[in-house]
Structure formats: C-alpha cells, structure tokens
Amino acid sequence: MNANIQKLYDVASKPVRRIIGLMSGTSFDGLDIAVCEFQGSGLGTHIKVINFITKDYKSDFKEDLKSIFAKKFADLEKITLLNAVIGSYYAELILECLGEWGISPNEIDLIASHGQSIYHAPSHQHKIEGYPNATLQIGDADHLAMKTGITTLSDFRQKHIAAGGEGAPLAVYGDYLIFSSATENRIMLNIGGIANFTFLPSGHSTGFFSSDVGPGNTLMDQYIQLKYPGKYYDKNAEIASAGQANDALLNALLDHPFYKAGFPKTTGPELFSLDYLNSAMERSGQYNLSNEDVMATLAVFSAKGIIMAIEESVKGRGEFEIYLSGGGMYNPLLVKYIEGYSGRKLKFTSDLGINPDAKEAVLFALLANEAVAGGNTPFGDRPGVPTVSMGKVSFPK
C-alpha cells in the first residue's frame, strides 16, 4: 500500500483528528484559519476549536484577487499564476500561525481548504443552453500540501455540482450536523458577500434546507471600493448611516427574476455587481443620489432580500430563532434592519459554542472529517442537498 494511503487510513481510524479549516471569502479581507479537533462523525460529531485567527491579506494580494474576481473576461495567465501563488501563500500563513501557536505541522492530520472563489456560474444565471452548473475556486492544494507537509482536501464544491447541486451553499451539511436542536427551529444565517441561510427544524428532521438569498455585503463593498479608493468596506456602517434609503432605487433593485425563483438557489457577485446597481439606477431614474443614500439603500436591499427569503421559505413552520455569522454581523445598520423587518433579536453562533467568525472555516474542516471518517449520514438527496462526500485529496509527497 502507498504510504500516503496508509497514513490517511490511520487518520480516519484515530479517535481524535486535528484538522485545519481554511476559508477565504469574497471580501478578500484575509484567510480564516481554524484548528479543530474532531471526535466521531455525522450526527455524533464533537468539535472543539483549538485556535482561530483571520490572517489579513497584503494589499497587493487583495488587488490581484480583485483583478480576476467575478469577471466574465479576465487575464487567463494571471488566473493560472494565482492558482499556484494562492496555494503557496496559504501554506505560508498556516506555518506562520502554527509557529505562533506552538503547534508542529506533524500534530495536524489534515488541512481543509475552500480556496478562493473567482467565478460562480449556476445554469439559471448563465442561461447558456447545453452547459451545466459550474463554479471555480483557485489556490492549488498540491502546493499547500507540499509546503506544509500536511495532507490537504480541497475543491469541495465540484462534487456537489457533479451530484446535481449548484456548488453552494455547502453550509447546510455542517449546520445540520453541528447546530441541529431537538427542541428549537433554527435559522443559521451567514452574511458574507452573498447571504445564505440554513433552516433546521427541531428534532433533527430531514426537512432542513439551505439557500442563497441575494447580496449580503458584496454590493456595499463594491460601491465603497469604487467611490473611496483604499477602502474595502463601510466600517461600522458610518457612510450608510449618514444616508436615507431611496424607495424607487430599492424597488428597482428588488425587481429581478432571482427573487421570484424557488428555493434552493445560488447566486454571486457575477449577478449582483456594480452593473446591476447602475441598471437599477437607470430604471428608477435615481442618478444623482449621494454616496450615503446609495449605501443606505443597499443596506436595506440586503436586509429585505434576506427577510423576504426567510419568511417565504419557512412560512407555516412555526417559531424559530435566527443565529448570525459572517462579516455582515459587524454592520450595525444591516443588523438593525434585519431585526426590524424580522421582529426579533438576532442571536449569534457563539450562543451555540462556535465563534461566528470561525464558522465557515470550521464547516470546511467538518467536510474533510466527513470525507475521511464519516460519509454515512443521509441528507435526503433533495435538490441542493445531495448525499455525497466532498473534497479532493492532495498528498504532501
């Protein structure tokens, strides 16, 4: 037997596995790195987060990512080069963190790397006859494995698509295994660039599901980056809070077939771009709004899209609590609007024992744990939730 296969078998057989989960979102703020310990698998999974940090990206690296992200036409040479660069950069950041935490790479069993999404293309969005759902994440895992000496799982979204899904959202798998409750209906709301949620009915019911709902931070971040060079987001919603939402622009933003489509569905910044905003401004005749008013309107737009989706999809399912995670939780205006429209106080995943900043990195670590030591939990094979093990394996030598 190949020594790498034997080592992977040994890892799968261990009573406790130590896995690093990595997540890099569409805001390009940095790499989330979570060191997790796993016992068991499936609904018997027990997780302990040992260390977590977000390692800020260098500004030139952020600009490189922006230059190829969510663009229909991009520099193919740069994409090819960044695929290798990202893998090596992730390895550098991991080794730096392990050194700071006093952990030897030999103490880590696996790395689970989401990679960097650069284009998401579900068929309902690209509408090109004869072409399937597709998505692309870069950051080559062989580079990561070779430079860290740690077996790495990556490219999780491709199996989801191959099994009939759209490659997103994948949070449903981890949400179901980690956060299901015997007594409480839960909405696990994650607000990143795109907002998504998982509905978890009480009693570990198979009636759970997950869906994207539209923009979270992406349009607000894109607008800030356009209008305020050097800024990447509206810190503490200072700019948006100084404006007034414009109803005509808001109605134009909400007037899109995506909001009428059934659940589950996925989307990305490829649709919700500055072109989308400009088109809404043109259709509504709102050309001369201040930056503050545009930002205030975009905050309402994100909040409305989230609440409309939740209300429509869980109608008649009884009372529920909303648990928040993702960068959007740091936007006080967005949170205020969501609480106002939903009529309830938002909670956080920290109330359930998981740092909300770490949640997505933890979820990918869990997918790796399931790939090597689980894979026996039926998810119902419903649209958007195929029962599959995800993650491609890269050995360190």
Side-chain angles (χ1 to χ4, degrees):
M1 181 186 292
N2 183 295
N4 285 312
I5 300 294
Q6 181 64 57
K7 185 174 181 181
L8 189 60
Y9 175 82
D10 292 342
V11 167
S13 304
K14 293 174 72 170
V16 179
R17 286 166 293 281
R18 190 170 278 196
I19 303 174
I20 291 178
L22 305 179
M23 181 63 196
S24 180
T26 58
S27 61
F28 311 136
D29 51 350
L31 181 66
D32 294 339
I33 304 174
V35 180
C36 308
E37 284 187 351
F38 288 86
Q39 295 181 53
S41 63
L43 287 170
T45 302
H46 296 280
I47 302 173
K48 182 179 181 182
V49 180
I50 305 300
N51 298 94
F52 172 74
I53 193 171
T54 298
K55 278 289 188 180
D56 293 340
Y57 287 148
K58 296 176 287 192
S59 58
D60 57 343
F61 181 71
K62 291 182 184 182
E63 293 303 315
D64 276 342
L65 294 181
K66 280 175 58 180
S67 73
I68 61 167
F69 174 68
K71 289 181 167 53
K72 204 165 188 178
F73 302 99
D75 185 331
L76 185 55
E77 180 180 61
K78 196 162 193 180
I79 292 171
T80 303
L81 295 172
L82 280 173
N83 186 43
V85 165
I86 291 170
S88 296
Y89 188 31
Y90 284 4
E92 176 188 321
L93 293 175
I94 289 171
L95 293 174
E96 185 179 297
C97 286
L98 292 178
E100 292 169 357
W101 293 328
I103 300 173
S104 166
N106 294 329
E107 298 177 62
I108 302 297
D109 294 308
L110 301 169
I111 294 171
S113 176
H114 171 264
Q116 180 65 57
S117 289
I118 61 167
Y119 207 87
H120 186 61
S123 58
H124 70 81
Q125 192 165 293
H126 66 65
K127 295 186 169 94
I128 304 174
E129 188 175 349
Y131 284 81
N133 296 318
T135 190
L136 181 61
Q137 290 73 43
I138 61 173
D140 185 73
D142 285 330
H143 287 73
L144 220 174
M146 286 290 293
K147 288 180 170 60
T148 60
I150 303 168
T151 298
T152 300
L153 277 74
S154 67
D155 218 13
F156 293 90
R157 298 188 185 275
Q158 299 305 326
K159 178 69 75 65
H160 192 264
I161 287 176
E166 293 187 1
L170 299 188
V172 59
Y173 297 92
D175 286 345
Y176 178 61
L177 298 182
I178 301 172
F179 298 116
S180 291
S181 166
T183 58
E184 183 178 72
N185 294 327
R186 291 174 173 170
I187 294 282
M188 309 307 297
L189 173 61
N190 186 75
I191 307 177
I194 296 299
N196 62 71
F197 75 92
T198 301
F199 174 63
L200 300 172
S202 63
H204 300 98
S205 163
T206 56
F208 64 91
F209 64 90
S210 187
S211 182
D212 284 348
V213 301
N217 303 318
T218 186
L219 266 175
M220 291 184 283
D221 289 351
Q222 290 177 60
Y223 190 77
I224 288 294
Q225 291 164 24
L226 174 69
K227 296 294 185 178
Y228 303 89
K231 283 182 178 285
Y232 288 92
Y233 67 102
D234 183 12
K235 187 174 182 180
N236 297 321
E238 291 172 358
I239 295 169
S241 296
Q244 293 290 325
N246 180 279
D247 287 341
L249 177 57
L250 175 62
N251 291 334
L253 288 166
L254 289 167
D255 183 19
H256 190 277
F258 175 81
Y259 289 101
K260 299 177 179 66
F263 298 95
K265 54 191 172 183
T266 67
T267 190
E270 297 78 12
L271 170 61
F272 292 108
S273 64
L274 291 176
D275 287 341
Y276 185 89
L277 173 60
N278 290 334
S279 172
M281 286 179 162
E282 183 177 339
R283 286 183 283 114
S284 61
Q286 304 302 308
Y287 302 104
N288 300 312
L289 297 180
S290 68
N291 293 343
E292 291 80 3
D293 287 352
V294 172
M295 285 295 293
T297 307
L298 292 177
V300 175
F301 174 47
S302 290
K304 280 258 190 187
I306 289 167
I307 295 306
M308 284 165 46
I310 290 175
E311 288 180 345
E312 180 182 342
S313 58
V314 303
K315 192 182 298 179
R317 304 295 291 269
E319 277 301 305
F320 55 86
E321 295 290 343
I322 300 176
Y323 292 89
L324 185 58
S325 62
M329 69 183 182
Y330 294 111
N331 184 319
L333 188 63
L334 180 57
V335 170
K336 174 185 170 184
Y337 284 139
I338 294 171
E339 289 184 334
Y341 292 135
S342 67
R344 68 191 71 227
K345 185 76 173 171
L346 298 183
K347 297 183 177 181
F348 298 89
T349 58
S350 51
D351 296 320
L352 302 176
I354 296 291
N355 179 343
D357 288 321
K359 182 194 167 192
E360 287 194 288
V362 170
L363 291 178
F364 282 97
L366 180 139
L367 290 180
N369 185 65
E370 284 296 301
V372 301
N376 301 312
T377 302
F379 290 95
D381 283 321
R382 292 166 290 118
V385 197
T387 298
V388 288
S389 292
M390 290 168 273
K392 296 171 183 171
V393 180
S394 292
F395 291 121
K397 56 184 177 180

